[in-house]
Structure formats: structure tokens, C-alpha cells
Amino acid sequence: METLATALVSGALAGLMVDISLFPIDTVKTRLQSEVGFQKAGGFRGIYSGLGAVAVGSAPGAAFFFLSYEASKKQLSYKLGKNSATNHMISSSLAELVACFVRVPSEVIKQRSQAQRLSSLQILKKTLALEGFLGLYRGYTSTILREIPFSVIQFPLWELLKIKWTDKGTIQPWKSAVAGAIAGSVAAFLTTPLDVAKTRIMLSEKSAPASGNFLTVLSNVYKDQGVKGLWAGVVPRVMWIAIGGFVFLGVYDGAKHYLTAACSKRPTKDINDV
């Protein structure tokens, strides 16, 4: 139980730190992928628009991801093995399904704030008024279709690099952070077209052209802008996720090791003392 509690707290700290520290790069990426273009979406103005939504949603989203990831990984280890790539793929995919219930509303508000330069609260009220509660989950399916392939690439690679760099059964947090940067940048590059489609769907409002299904949006982007459009924002995306992977997974492993050590040093009560 302590292991899952440690994953919950460590994930929350990691998510909050990475999303807030790298928010400006994410804003630039979102505006580059916007249907109206970078300048009309705000350019470099109001670079922190949507920060409120991130501050509220990033910690619980990351916390639930790692709670689910560690729990699933432990259960699957009995059949697939602790260090099995298949285990890491399945566990990260299941964790994304859980985390996206929390993450998607925050992401919708954040990206619309970034593109429309309105406050998070204004976007929340506008979305609820025009689209109702389900408007907060616009792009849920496209987010899942982006996040699962991303995690299926990132987490097995991260875990593999950690195994390679483990010394005497432990890995130093900075090595985990470097592994996270490498794994994240590879996954980010390969899944950029999926991110473009997800961003277009989330930015669109009800009945807008980009509010269609995932494949339709990808097809429209390709027709309008060619291959270049499918890879819009790839540089800031890879940069953001490489740095983010370093911070996110490094902080997660560092916090987990610290909390695990702190818990192991805590004196235990005899059952008769309770």
C-alpha cells in the first residue's frame, strides 16, 4: 500500500513541476498547430494563458497515471515478468486511460486559453455554456489515440535504459532523468501527427470543421498543408517533451526513492500497541 501511496505523491509532484516549468514551450507548440496559424492564435503574446488549468489538472492527472502504472505493472509482473516490455506497454496504456479522465478537461481549457488568450475561468464558462459538460471532454478519443502510442514507445524505452544503467540494483535519479529525456524525445517525434490532430480537435468548438473524427482531421490537415502540416510544432514538441521527460521522470524516480527510504526508516508499531 505504501508503494502505491509513494507513486501517487511522486507522480503529483512530477506532473506539477514539469507542466508549470515548461508551460511557455507548450503554448508555442499549441499555437503552431492551431488551425488559424501561429500569429492569429496569439504568437508570443500571453505565453502563460491557460496556466491556471494546468496548475489544477497536472498533479492529479500525473498522480493517477503513476498509481495505475505501478499497480498494473506489479500485477502483470506475475505473468509477464517485472522487466517485460509487454508489461510496460500494457501498464502504461491502462494508466493513460485512467489519467485522461482527469487530464482531458484540463487540457481542453489550457489549449483553448493558449489559442484564444482568455483566462482559464473564462474558457471554462464559455465551454460549458456552448457545449455543456461533454465539451470538456472534446478530444478525449484523440488524446487516447495519441497518448497510448506515445506511452507504448516511451515507457518500455525508459525502463530499458534504466535497466542498462542500473548499478548494484539502484539507479541514480539523474540517470533516470536522462533516460526519460531520450525516451520522451523519440516518442514525441514519432507521434507528432497524432498530436496535431488532437490539438485541432480540442481547439475546435461545436460544429467547427476540426471537430470531426481523428482520421478526418489528419486527412484535412494533409490536404491543406501537406506533410509539413502533419509535423507542425515538432521542434517545440520534441524540445518540450525531452526536457519534460528529464524533469518529469527524474523527479518521479527521485521523489519515489526519497519517500520509499523515508517510509522504511519510519518506526513500525507493534499490533499490540494499537
Side-chain angles (χ1 to χ4, degrees):
M1 197 67 179
E2 278 185 351
T3 302
L4 295 181
T6 298
L8 190 73
V9 175
S10 301
L13 288 172
L16 191 61
M17 185 169 290
V18 71
D19 282 344
I20 290 178
S21 63
L22 299 178
F23 190 81
I25 299 175
D26 183 52
T27 300
V28 171
K29 185 270 300 181
T30 296
R31 290 174 178 176
L32 283 169
Q33 294 177 346
S34 171
E35 194 170 11
V36 299
F38 180 69
Q39 291 299 332
K40 288 185 178 180
F44 290 104
R45 301 181 300 277
I47 209 77
Y48 280 96
S49 296
L51 183 61
V54 166
V56 172
S58 63
F64 280 113
F65 174 87
F66 278 112
L67 176 66
S68 304
Y69 179 67
E70 295 292 354
S72 177
K73 193 167 66 168
K74 183 178 179 181
Q75 290 300 315
L76 290 173
S77 66
Y78 299 117
K79 289 188 175 182
L80 299 175
K82 181 181 178 181
N83 296 322
S84 163
T86 304
N87 183 342
H88 302 149
M89 289 179 183
I90 295 172
S91 296
S92 60
S93 298
L94 292 174
E96 289 294 357
L97 290 172
V98 173
C100 280
F101 277 108
V102 178
R103 189 185 302 152
V104 168
S106 171
E107 189 82 356
V108 168
I109 295 170
K110 179 199 75 173
Q111 292 201 322
R112 290 184 179 185
S113 295
Q114 289 171 329
Q116 299 177 31
R117 288 183 294 149
L118 297 173
S119 72
S120 298
L121 184 58
Q122 288 174 315
I123 290 293
L124 175 60
K125 290 179 178 178
K126 182 181 178 182
T127 301
L128 291 174
L130 295 177
E131 303 173 65
F133 180 75
L134 291 180
L136 295 174
Y137 282 90
R138 178 174 293 281
Y140 177 82
T141 302
S142 61
T143 302
I144 290 295
L145 290 174
R146 180 199 68 174
E147 294 294 357
I148 287 180
F150 179 88
S151 291
V152 162
I153 297 168
Q154 183 189 35
F155 277 88
L157 182 54
W158 178 56
E159 298 279 11
L160 176 63
L161 290 173
K162 287 202 299 176
I163 292 169
K164 298 279 188 185
W165 296 345
T166 293
D167 182 29
K168 296 179 181 178
T170 60
I171 183 170
Q172 295 178 355
W174 73 267
K175 288 185 178 180
S176 178
V178 172
I182 294 171
S185 59
V186 171
F189 178 80
L190 293 175
T191 59
T192 293
L194 306 181
D195 187 57
V196 169
K198 189 271 306 182
T199 299
R200 291 286 183 95
I201 291 171
M202 279 192 169
L203 290 180
S204 68
E205 295 178 353
K206 201 171 184 179
S207 301
S211 63
N213 65 55
F214 198 72
L215 293 177
T216 300
V217 172
L218 281 174
S219 177
N220 289 338
V221 171
Y222 180 73
K223 287 177 183 176
D224 294 340
Q225 298 173 277
V227 174
K228 184 179 178 181
L230 295 175
W231 297 91
V234 64
V235 172
R237 172 170 164 79
V238 171
M239 184 191 308
W240 173 64
I241 292 180
I243 301 171
F246 183 92
V247 176
F248 184 57
L249 297 174
V251 168
Y252 173 72
D253 255 6
K256 189 171 71 169
H257 289 160
Y258 174 81
L259 292 171
T260 300
C263 288
S264 65
K265 291 178 182 177
R266 189 178 62 190
T268 55
K269 289 184 178 181
D270 190 278
I271 191 167
N272 295 320
D273 296 333
V274 180

